Amino acid sequence: MALSRLCRSPLFGKPFDGGKRMDHGGPQEQQQQHPTDPQQQPYHTQHPAMTRLYEVQREVSSLGPQVCTFGGLQNDREYKRLERELTRLLLEVDKVDTEGRPELQGARKRAAQEVEGLLRYLEENASHPSRRAIEDLSERARQLVDERVVAPQRSGGAAEIGDELVDALQETVLRLTQVKTEGRVPLRKARYRALTRLCAVQDVLEGRTQQQTLPLPLSGDTHEAVHRINQIMVQVSVARGQLVALLMGLSGRDSCAHLSRILTEMQVELDALDVSGNAAIRNYRKQVVEEINGLLKHLDLEGEGDDTRRYDLAQNNSIREIEAVRAHVSHLREGVLRHCAVGDLGFRPKAELQSLLTHLDQVDTAKNPCIREARRRAVVEVQAIITFLDLREALARRQPGPAEPPSHRAVWLVLGSLSDLQAQVLGFDGKRADKSYMILEELLTKQLLALDAVDPQGNETTKVARKQAVKFAQNILNYLDMKTDEWEY
């Protein structure tokens, strides 16, 4: 059932027309019905059965948008509420007495189908494999943050914030961006909300890492206000841990509103402190206020994902900019392949490709991991063409001498085969289930095996060349995988 239809919920084929009458037949049938003939008129809303079905329609119209945008799981409170309300409506429809009349029976059937459709849509999204994948990744991040940050602070210890934790969280963010949503609004919202919270935690933890390297707090002997600022800094550190717990769903008692009040009170107290014109203390206070502001900006995430402009990245200006670059890259790629097919190496739009890389580097990602991933993929597409052109040129310039070692010649033979295969990969536009994909993958793997069989015989030049060729082949395989992984915003 179409999403738009579910959200509008036109139970009877047409929305309610103000209570005048319902349209049952086609245009010709309606023309034949005389408005004053009671035997030919359809049932009015005054009929008890129809009145009740219209009441159901109004309730379904209210629940439809909620169902169509719900991005949670089956054990969520909101899911259970929606399921309960829809089940109640289904029972209400079933109770309607149609008196055996076809028109009423048809209306009741359509009403039941609409409610059942919403129930099915609700269940499918809440139990969708992608929704489970989002939750599994979120749970993994929660366990990591709980173990390294939240639990130590609760026990009075210090959080273990290092590169290992930051890298693990970044890996989770990357995997979340790769979860398929099939364009479903609930799944897109769920992924966006998970990413938003995890990126916020990254922000908070990175701020904490920087804080640990600062030569502050100042000594309490400097000024009496410094002692109080030091105390507030300790409270800010505790609040940071509470914020991380809130963002990751690890806090059962605290709330965003409560923590916001605490942080705002700290700001008010800092503003009221008399620093007596001391520049060093004033800067110290300013820094602590900025720390608090950095935490406060992450406390309004409850409504994140509700704004279509945020989770619907197809409407994002940065994505549009990236897509414009990709369209240009596609045009250049077709030109390169067309010229190479006839042996013409004169078409080398390398400068233009380099300018596109510069353009992509300047695209504002707003710290959005999905936009970053979209930009990374566009960069890979440009680099794939550049490396293809470079290898073609190197192969054309190559003039092997009689003293060239056989192992070195073997590496160049593989590179020649890889160049031909890369041309096919650049022009490939299919799926992983396609036979052509499997053939390409097998041929590239064979070239890797051929390189593995090359014995450099202690020749350093051959060792370096083989290593570079292996990396080149792996990059082609990775590019082929990227082209066929059906990634979406």
Side-chain angles (χ1 to χ4, degrees):
M1 186 173 296
L3 176 62
S4 59
R5 183 173 177 231
L6 283 170
C7 292
R8 291 196 306 268
S9 190
L11 296 180
F12 308 109
K14 287 186 66 178
F16 182 50
D17 64 356
K20 294 180 181 179
R21 71 175 203 176
M22 286 181 48
D23 294 323
H24 292 278
Q28 291 182 352
E29 181 182 349
Q30 290 173 18
Q31 289 173 4
Q32 293 170 359
Q33 293 174 349
H34 194 278
T36 60
D37 185 355
Q39 299 298 323
Q40 297 294 329
Q41 281 188 322
Y43 286 97
H44 292 260
T45 54
Q46 284 78 6
H47 192 285
M50 197 59 73
T51 300
R52 183 61 193 123
L53 289 174
Y54 271 120
E55 291 172 357
V56 170
Q57 180 188 21
R58 284 193 290 271
E59 291 191 65
V60 173
S61 297
S62 173
L63 289 172
Q66 299 174 50
V67 171
C68 293
T69 57
F70 175 72
L73 296 166
Q74 288 177 306
N75 58 356
D76 291 355
R77 182 183 300 177
E78 180 65 5
Y79 177 92
K80 293 176 180 177
R81 181 189 73 81
L82 290 170
E83 184 183 42
R84 186 169 59 250
E85 289 296 315
L86 289 170
T87 303
R88 177 183 62 79
L89 289 177
L90 199 58
L91 293 173
E92 290 291 331
V93 170
D94 191 53
K95 289 181 192 175
V96 172
D97 182 10
T98 63
E99 302 173 358
R101 301 183 180 184
E103 294 87 351
L104 294 176
Q105 288 175 341
R108 185 177 69 176
K109 181 180 178 181
R110 286 189 290 274
Q113 287 174 340
E114 291 291 343
V115 179
E116 288 169 353
L118 286 174
L119 271 168
R120 188 164 52 251
Y121 190 80
L122 179 68
E123 181 182 359
E124 285 175 356
N125 285 303
S127 59
H128 194 280
S130 292
R131 186 64 189 86
R132 293 293 177 187
I134 293 168
E135 188 59 26
D136 289 344
L137 289 168
S138 299
E139 180 59 29
R140 192 173 306 170
R142 275 195 291 270
Q143 291 175 356
L144 190 63
V145 170
D146 189 27
E147 178 185 337
R148 301 287 182 85
V149 181
V150 179
Q153 284 198 342
R154 282 177 178 163
S155 61
E160 299 179 22
I161 303 171
D163 291 341
E164 184 181 348
L165 174 60
V166 173
D167 291 345
L169 292 177
Q170 182 57 38
E171 173 65 21
T172 305
V173 166
L174 180 60
R175 293 185 63 183
L176 274 170
T177 64
Q178 295 171 345
V179 173
K180 308 293 186 299
T181 66
E182 301 174 0
R184 293 174 179 237
V185 170
L187 297 180
R188 286 162 65 188
K189 287 183 66 174
R191 186 181 67 173
Y192 179 80
R193 288 171 66 85
L195 282 168
T196 301
R197 280 156 175 69
L198 197 50
C199 289
V201 169
Q202 281 185 301
D203 238 14
V204 173
L205 295 183
E206 286 171 4
R208 172 64 180 269
T209 304
Q210 295 167 3
Q211 178 66 27
Q212 291 171 336
T213 64
L214 293 171
L216 296 173
L218 299 174
S219 168
D221 299 332
T222 307
H223 190 280
E224 60 181 12
V226 174
H227 177 67
R228 184 54 192 148
I229 299 176
N230 288 342
Q231 290 179 326
I232 292 176
M233 277 201 68
V234 173
Q235 294 174 352
V236 171
S237 180
V238 173
R240 186 180 288 107
Q242 293 173 335
L243 175 57
V244 169
L246 278 168
L247 292 171
M248 298 304 293
L250 296 168
S251 176
R253 295 173 300 172
D254 298 326
S255 68
C256 288
H258 175 68
L259 186 56
S260 179
R261 284 194 298 271
I262 292 175
L263 290 169
T264 303
E265 289 170 3
M266 292 183 198
Q267 281 186 322
V268 171
E269 186 171 353
L270 286 169
D271 288 339
L273 284 176
D274 178 17
V275 297
S276 302
N278 187 307
I281 301 175
R282 188 166 58 249
N283 288 335
Y284 179 29
R285 180 178 66 178
K286 180 182 177 182
Q287 177 194 317
V288 179
V289 169
E290 289 175 351
E291 286 283 324
I292 295 173
N293 285 332
L295 300 181
L296 281 170
K297 73 178 183 180
H298 295 302
L299 282 169
D300 59 350
L301 293 176
E302 291 304 315
E304 282 292 342
D306 293 333
D307 187 344
T308 303
R309 289 170 298 177
R310 297 193 182 216
Y311 66 79
D312 184 8
L313 290 180
Q315 308 301 319
N316 182 278
N317 288 332
S318 294
I319 288 292
R320 287 175 172 173
E321 197 172 348
I322 292 169
E323 286 300 318
V325 170
R326 290 187 65 225
H328 193 175
V329 171
S330 179
H331 175 71
L332 292 175
R333 180 172 59 240
E334 290 174 4
V336 166
L337 293 175
R338 189 167 55 252
H339 282 79
C340 285
V342 296
D344 179 13
L345 298 179
F347 182 65
R348 287 183 53 80
K350 205 166 176 184
E352 196 170 354
L353 290 166
Q354 290 290 356
S355 69
L356 291 176
L357 286 177
T358 303
H359 187 171
L360 287 169
D361 188 54
Q362 295 170 349
V363 171
D364 180 19
T365 64
K367 294 187 177 181
N368 186 308
C370 288
I371 300 177
R372 283 203 300 261
E373 176 65 7
R375 184 176 66 176
R376 183 191 72 81
R377 286 168 171 263
V379 167
V380 170
E381 289 180 3
V382 177
Q383 290 173 337
I385 303 174
I386 291 175
T387 56
F388 172 73
L389 290 170
D390 287 344
L391 180 57
R392 283 276 173 165
E393 186 176 331
L395 288 166
R397 289 199 313 262
R398 173 171 153 73
Q399 296 179 346
E404 183 179 52
S407 57
H408 199 263
R409 188 181 303 113
V411 172
W412 275 102
L413 285 172
V414 173
L415 284 171
S417 299
L418 286 174
S419 178
D420 293 336
L421 289 173
Q422 189 181 19
Q424 296 180 50
V425 171
L426 286 171
F428 181 77
D429 185 23
K431 299 182 178 180
R432 291 189 183 181
D434 296 349
K435 185 177 180 180
S436 54
Y437 169 86
M438 291 183 275
I439 291 174
L440 277 172
E441 188 180 41
E442 183 180 354
L443 291 174
L444 287 166
T445 304
K446 283 183 177 178
Q447 297 307 315
L448 279 170
L449 293 174
L451 287 169
D452 190 53
V454 173
D455 182 6
Q457 298 179 343
N459 187 301
E460 288 300 320
T461 303
T462 303
K463 283 183 180 179
V464 172
R466 185 178 71 169
K467 184 178 180 180
Q468 291 176 338
V470 168
K471 184 177 180 181
F472 186 76
Q474 289 173 336
N475 285 342
I476 298 174
L477 272 169
N478 292 337
Y479 177 62
L480 179 62
D481 285 342
M482 189 194 82
K483 289 188 74 172
T484 56
D485 65 4
E486 299 178 4
W487 182 77
E488 59 189 24
Y489 307 131

